[in-house]
Amino acid sequence: MSPEIRGGARAFVRSLNILLKFARLYEFGHAKTTQQFETTWKELRGALDDSGGSGRAAGRFGDAILLDGVPLGSAAGERSFAQLLITSGIASIHFSPTLTQPQFARFVRAFPERECQAFIAGGTVEVRAGGRNQHQGE
């Protein structure tokens, strides 16, 4: 992963962390959440466009965040996102290159819900076009 792509990926992961926390704190329709959603979506689209058609996988190993298997570092933001995934029972999230903005919005809306937590507990979440969040690993 080139330094430019890695920097964009790190920005996306930080934005996603903030977005998911805002969605939990303020709900999806709040102005702060809406603004953060737009920022995160723009960064995600850039990361997906740079993926060469394979999409992007954000995961955790302990308190480290990996993007496509490459550690992003151990700054406070990365550790915080790793902790959020641990608390949610998520090992990794794969973002498909064909993901649409409405599908990403559904994922963000569902993330803080108990139903979503039970649905994804202990597994891998794949966010892709053409369907809802898919539970992998069973």
Side-chain angles (χ1 to χ4, degrees), residues 36-137:
Q36 187 62 41
F37 177 83
E38 294 300 325
T39 299
T40 305
W41 173 249
K42 204 177 309 180
E43 291 171 350
L44 173 57
R45 280 299 346 146
L48 292 174
D49 290 345
D50 291 338
S51 74
S54 63
R56 292 285 181 207
R60 63 174 172 78
F61 182 75
D63 66 352
I65 289 294
L66 309 174
L67 190 73
D68 297 333
V70 177
L72 288 182
S74 59
E78 286 83 10
R79 288 191 313 270
S80 172
F81 186 54
Q83 188 59 48
L84 179 64
L85 294 178
I86 290 167
T87 302
S88 300
I90 298 173
S92 67
I93 305 167
H94 179 258
F95 297 95
S96 167
T98 57
L99 181 69
T100 65
Q101 190 173 16
Q103 291 166 326
F104 182 58
R106 280 196 310 267
F107 167 73
V108 173
R109 280 187 191 102
F111 193 85
E113 300 298 324
R114 294 238 181 261
E115 296 81 21
C116 181
Q117 300 307 310
F119 179 67
I120 60 180
T124 300
V125 175
E126 179 179 355
V127 182
R128 61 184 175 96
R132 58 186 173 80
N133 299 337
Q134 300 292 314
H135 180 244
Q136 306 292 311

Side-chain angles (χ1 to χ4, degrees), residues 8-22:
R10 179 176 282 123
F12 160 66
V13 168
R14 286 185 180 154
S15 289
L16 180 60
N17 182 28
I18 293 167
L19 175 61
L20 295 175
K21 288 179 179 178
F22 278 7

